[in-house]
Amino acid sequence: MKRLLSRIFFLTLICSAALFSACSSDDAPAVPVDPPVDPQPVPPSDRDVLAATLKKDAAVLADQLDFSAIETTSDATRQLLSLMSRGRFFMRDMQTAMVMITARNISERKLAYGLRVVFDEKANYRIGTTGGSLEFIFPATIGDYPKTLYKLTFASNKNWDAVPELFNLTLSGMFGDRERVLSKSSANIVMASDYAGMAAIALGAFAFDGRMDFFTPDDPDRSVCAVDLMAMRDANNTLSFGCDYEQGGRTVFDMTVDLPLPEDFVINSIGEAVEAAEGIEAVADVLGNLAVESVIADGADFMPALRDVMEGVKDKELAPEEFSRRVERLNGSLLMVIAGEDNTEPVPMKLLGEQGEEAYCVMQAFRFAGSSDYTPLKQVVDAATYDNLVEIYHKTALPVGKTAAAYSDLLTVMMQILPIPGTKQ
């Protein structure tokens, strides 16, 4: 609910008539009186608007935000990665098999042949063939569910003539006597380059847009949440990203980032791309009513500072003064503003390091109109809202961090397995 602080000013015109002894009151001329002015509400301050928006959003997110479906898929991915790393000759055998399968597909100019890899609990594996996809079947125990078999499938429609290429990834598991999908993605990839595979992404222009839907074994017909991703490298050598997170039928969060890269820059990793960029712009929106804009002047300053803060969050022995110093260094490479409603000016924002019960966290502080100091979030919102925001912070940071690490590690393994041209800067 939007809270308006109203200060009402009444303009009262007091009119009087001079009574002369020579004139009676009946003979006195009427004195006109202006009608009273309607009270005009004073616009709420930027602090009030932001506090009201944060309170409303915190209540919604604390009640609805749930990453359990995403955690299920990342747990399965991590257990698959564990089996891959324990397989004695797995990487070597997969590289050999993939080269042979790829050679057959190239000769027939279509993806007619694929591989199926089946693991047991001791990381023993057998490699067979399947029709055009790459499948990993493996046992895993996730959450409160009993140990069962899971299947991760990579598939593509690439036939050397199709543009865009359609890439699909599906994770499913056997629950009871039925196979239930846990996550399902579909992506379009367009390569505007003379280079092949990952080399096109590293060196040339490309466009990628995809969506991943997450399900639960108990309700496999309804998408619990979804992530929409977009990435593009254009002819001007700007790398653009977009990410939308949907849950409960609404967009919870969306963000876009533009990284202007040096000419002929080779992308080896996103971190390196950020470090090489100058004038990075990012725009994020929460629940459609809270907007944050950030500008990073120099990625070479920002990335080391960000890494130090992220490592400090997990370091329980780090002194509070040192963590605060790291956060201040991160602030030195960031310009941020936040706006709660369209009728207020953006409020400058910076980050503060705080010590929680189990770990450090990074919270916001704001410089409101008429003040030269930054006011910590804790002093802007009520205690219940602040507790909700801290809970949301921890609820989001941990699963998102684990999931990103799991998918990043899986992508690293796939790049080692697939016969992709190497790229060096």
Side-chain angles (χ1 to χ4, degrees), residues 50-65:
L50 187 59
T53 305
L54 288 170
K55 182 175 182 177
K56 178 174 60 177
D57 288 357
V60 173
L61 294 176
D63 181 58
Q64 296 186 4
L65 206 57

PDB file of all heavy atoms in Angstrom, residues 50-65:
ATOM      1  N   LEU A  50      10.368   4.891  -1.076  1.00  0.00           N
ATOM      2  CA  LEU A  50      11.246   3.726  -1.104  1.00  0.00           C
ATOM      3  C   LEU A  50      10.913   2.769   0.034  1.00  0.00           C
ATOM      4  O   LEU A  50      10.861   1.548  -0.153  1.00  0.00           O
ATOM      5  CB  LEU A  50      12.702   4.171  -1.018  1.00  0.00           C
ATOM      6  CG  LEU A  50      13.749   3.062  -1.195  1.00  0.00           C
ATOM      7  CD1 LEU A  50      13.601   2.380  -2.539  1.00  0.00           C
ATOM      8  CD2 LEU A  50      15.146   3.628  -1.040  1.00  0.00           C
ATOM      9  N   ALA A  51      10.664   3.309   1.221  1.00  0.00           N
ATOM     10  CA  ALA A  51      10.324   2.458   2.366  1.00  0.00           C
ATOM     11  C   ALA A  51       9.036   1.678   2.111  1.00  0.00           C
ATOM     12  O   ALA A  51       8.947   0.481   2.411  1.00  0.00           O
ATOM     13  CB  ALA A  51      10.191   3.310   3.625  1.00  0.00           C
ATOM     14  N   ALA A  52       8.033   2.356   1.543  1.00  0.00           N
ATOM     15  CA  ALA A  52       6.759   1.688   1.267  1.00  0.00           C
ATOM     16  C   ALA A  52       6.921   0.598   0.207  1.00  0.00           C
ATOM     17  O   ALA A  52       6.355  -0.489   0.316  1.00  0.00           O
ATOM     18  CB  ALA A  52       5.726   2.720   0.813  1.00  0.00           C
ATOM     19  N   THR A  53       7.715   0.888  -0.827  1.00  0.00           N
ATOM     20  CA  THR A  53       7.921  -0.094  -1.887  1.00  0.00           C
ATOM     21  C   THR A  53       8.689  -1.312  -1.370  1.00  0.00           C
ATOM     22  O   THR A  53       8.339  -2.456  -1.677  1.00  0.00           O
ATOM     23  CB  THR A  53       8.701   0.542  -3.055  1.00  0.00           C
ATOM     24  OG1 THR A  53       8.008   1.709  -3.493  1.00  0.00           O
ATOM     25  CG2 THR A  53       8.812  -0.429  -4.218  1.00  0.00           C
ATOM     26  N   LEU A  54       9.730  -1.064  -0.590  1.00  0.00           N
ATOM     27  CA  LEU A  54      10.503  -2.168  -0.025  1.00  0.00           C
ATOM     28  C   LEU A  54       9.649  -3.033   0.894  1.00  0.00           C
ATOM     29  O   LEU A  54       9.761  -4.266   0.896  1.00  0.00           O
ATOM     30  CB  LEU A  54      11.708  -1.623   0.729  1.00  0.00           C
ATOM     31  CG  LEU A  54      12.839  -1.055  -0.132  1.00  0.00           C
ATOM     32  CD1 LEU A  54      13.855  -0.326   0.742  1.00  0.00           C
ATOM     33  CD2 LEU A  54      13.537  -2.166  -0.918  1.00  0.00           C
ATOM     34  N   LYS A  55       8.799  -2.399   1.678  1.00  0.00           N
ATOM     35  CA  LYS A  55       7.931  -3.158   2.581  1.00  0.00           C
ATOM     36  C   LYS A  55       6.977  -4.054   1.797  1.00  0.00           C
ATOM     37  O   LYS A  55       6.799  -5.238   2.127  1.00  0.00           O
ATOM     38  CB  LYS A  55       7.139  -2.197   3.467  1.00  0.00           C
ATOM     39  CG  LYS A  55       6.242  -2.908   4.484  1.00  0.00           C
ATOM     40  CD  LYS A  55       5.569  -1.910   5.407  1.00  0.00           C
ATOM     41  CE  LYS A  55       4.726  -2.642   6.451  1.00  0.00           C
ATOM     42  NZ  LYS A  55       4.098  -1.689   7.424  1.00  0.00           N
ATOM     43  N   LYS A  56       6.383  -3.505   0.753  1.00  0.00           N
ATOM     44  CA  LYS A  56       5.451  -4.281  -0.058  1.00  0.00           C
ATOM     45  C   LYS A  56       6.159  -5.435  -0.766  1.00  0.00           C
ATOM     46  O   LYS A  56       5.698  -6.581  -0.750  1.00  0.00           O
ATOM     47  CB  LYS A  56       4.776  -3.369  -1.086  1.00  0.00           C
ATOM     48  CG  LYS A  56       3.817  -4.087  -2.017  1.00  0.00           C
ATOM     49  CD  LYS A  56       3.088  -3.109  -2.915  1.00  0.00           C
ATOM     50  CE  LYS A  56       4.016  -2.316  -3.790  1.00  0.00           C
ATOM     51  NZ  LYS A  56       3.287  -1.408  -4.710  1.00  0.00           N
ATOM     52  N   ASP A  57       7.308  -5.138  -1.380  1.00  0.00           N
ATOM     53  CA  ASP A  57       8.039  -6.170  -2.114  1.00  0.00           C
ATOM     54  C   ASP A  57       8.570  -7.252  -1.180  1.00  0.00           C
ATOM     55  O   ASP A  57       8.558  -8.445  -1.524  1.00  0.00           O
ATOM     56  CB  ASP A  57       9.199  -5.546  -2.892  1.00  0.00           C
ATOM     57  CG  ASP A  57       8.717  -4.732  -4.085  1.00  0.00           C
ATOM     58  OD1 ASP A  57       7.492  -4.715  -4.325  1.00  0.00           O
ATOM     59  OD2 ASP A  57       9.549  -4.117  -4.765  1.00  0.00           O
ATOM     60  N   ALA A  58       9.057  -6.858  -0.002  1.00  0.00           N
ATOM     61  CA  ALA A  58       9.591  -7.840   0.945  1.00  0.00           C
ATOM     62  C   ALA A  58       8.502  -8.810   1.387  1.00  0.00           C
ATOM     63  O   ALA A  58       8.749 -10.014   1.526  1.00  0.00           O
ATOM     64  CB  ALA A  58      10.195  -7.132   2.151  1.00  0.00           C
ATOM     65  N   ALA A  59       7.302  -8.301   1.599  1.00  0.00           N
ATOM     66  CA  ALA A  59       6.198  -9.174   2.012  1.00  0.00           C
ATOM     67  C   ALA A  59       5.865 -10.187   0.917  1.00  0.00           C
ATOM     68  O   ALA A  59       5.634 -11.369   1.192  1.00  0.00           O
ATOM     69  CB  ALA A  59       4.975  -8.328   2.358  1.00  0.00           C
ATOM     70  N   VAL A  60       5.843  -9.725  -0.330  1.00  0.00           N
ATOM     71  CA  VAL A  60       5.535 -10.626  -1.448  1.00  0.00           C
ATOM     72  C   VAL A  60       6.624 -11.671  -1.610  1.00  0.00           C
ATOM     73  O   VAL A  60       6.349 -12.874  -1.745  1.00  0.00           O
ATOM     74  CB  VAL A  60       5.367  -9.812  -2.751  1.00  0.00           C
ATOM     75  CG1 VAL A  60       5.230 -10.755  -3.946  1.00  0.00           C
ATOM     76  CG2 VAL A  60       4.157  -8.901  -2.661  1.00  0.00           C
ATOM     77  N   LEU A  61       7.884 -11.243  -1.607  1.00  0.00           N
ATOM     78  CA  LEU A  61       8.986 -12.164  -1.839  1.00  0.00           C
ATOM     79  C   LEU A  61       9.151 -13.157  -0.698  1.00  0.00           C
ATOM     80  O   LEU A  61       9.424 -14.340  -0.931  1.00  0.00           O
ATOM     81  CB  LEU A  61      10.280 -11.378  -2.049  1.00  0.00           C
ATOM     82  CG  LEU A  61      10.327 -10.508  -3.305  1.00  0.00           C
ATOM     83  CD1 LEU A  61      11.624  -9.712  -3.347  1.00  0.00           C
ATOM     84  CD2 LEU A  61      10.191 -11.354  -4.562  1.00  0.00           C
ATOM     85  N   ALA A  62       9.005 -12.703   0.536  1.00  0.00           N
ATOM     86  CA  ALA A  62       9.141 -13.612   1.669  1.00  0.00           C
ATOM     87  C   ALA A  62       8.083 -14.695   1.631  1.00  0.00           C
ATOM     88  O   ALA A  62       8.323 -15.841   2.045  1.00  0.00           O
ATOM     89  CB  ALA A  62       9.045 -12.827   2.979  1.00  0.00           C
ATOM     90  N   ASP A  63       6.915 -14.374   1.103  1.00  0.00           N
ATOM     91  CA  ASP A  63       5.817 -15.332   1.051  1.00  0.00           C
ATOM     92  C   ASP A  63       5.913 -16.263  -0.154  1.00  0.00           C
ATOM     93  O   ASP A  63       5.541 -17.439  -0.067  1.00  0.00           O
ATOM     94  CB  ASP A  63       4.478 -14.575   1.022  1.00  0.00           C
ATOM     95  CG  ASP A  63       3.296 -15.524   0.989  1.00  0.00           C
ATOM     96  OD1 ASP A  63       3.175 -16.351   1.908  1.00  0.00           O
ATOM     97  OD2 ASP A  63       2.487 -15.435   0.045  1.00  0.00           O
ATOM     98  N   GLN A  64       6.446 -15.764  -1.269  1.00  0.00           N
ATOM     99  CA  GLN A  64       6.362 -16.525  -2.509  1.00  0.00           C
ATOM    100  C   GLN A  64       7.684 -17.088  -3.012  1.00  0.00           C
ATOM    101  O   GLN A  64       7.698 -18.099  -3.723  1.00  0.00           O
ATOM    102  CB  GLN A  64       5.751 -15.647  -3.608  1.00  0.00           C
ATOM    103  CG  GLN A  64       4.326 -15.225  -3.337  1.00  0.00           C
ATOM    104  CD  GLN A  64       3.718 -14.476  -4.510  1.00  0.00           C
ATOM    105  OE1 GLN A  64       4.338 -14.330  -5.559  1.00  0.00           O
ATOM    106  NE2 GLN A  64       2.504 -13.991  -4.342  1.00  0.00           N
ATOM    107  N   LEU A  65       8.808 -16.462  -2.687  1.00  0.00           N
ATOM    108  CA  LEU A  65      10.072 -16.863  -3.283  1.00  0.00           C
ATOM    109  C   LEU A  65      10.478 -18.258  -2.810  1.00  0.00           C
ATOM    110  O   LEU A  65      10.611 -18.503  -1.606  1.00  0.00           O
ATOM    111  CB  LEU A  65      11.157 -15.849  -2.922  1.00  0.00           C
ATOM    112  CG  LEU A  65      12.328 -15.720  -3.892  1.00  0.00           C
ATOM    113  CD1 LEU A  65      11.849 -15.365  -5.285  1.00  0.00           C
ATOM    114  CD2 LEU A  65      13.304 -14.671  -3.397  1.00  0.00           C
TER     115      LEU A  65
END
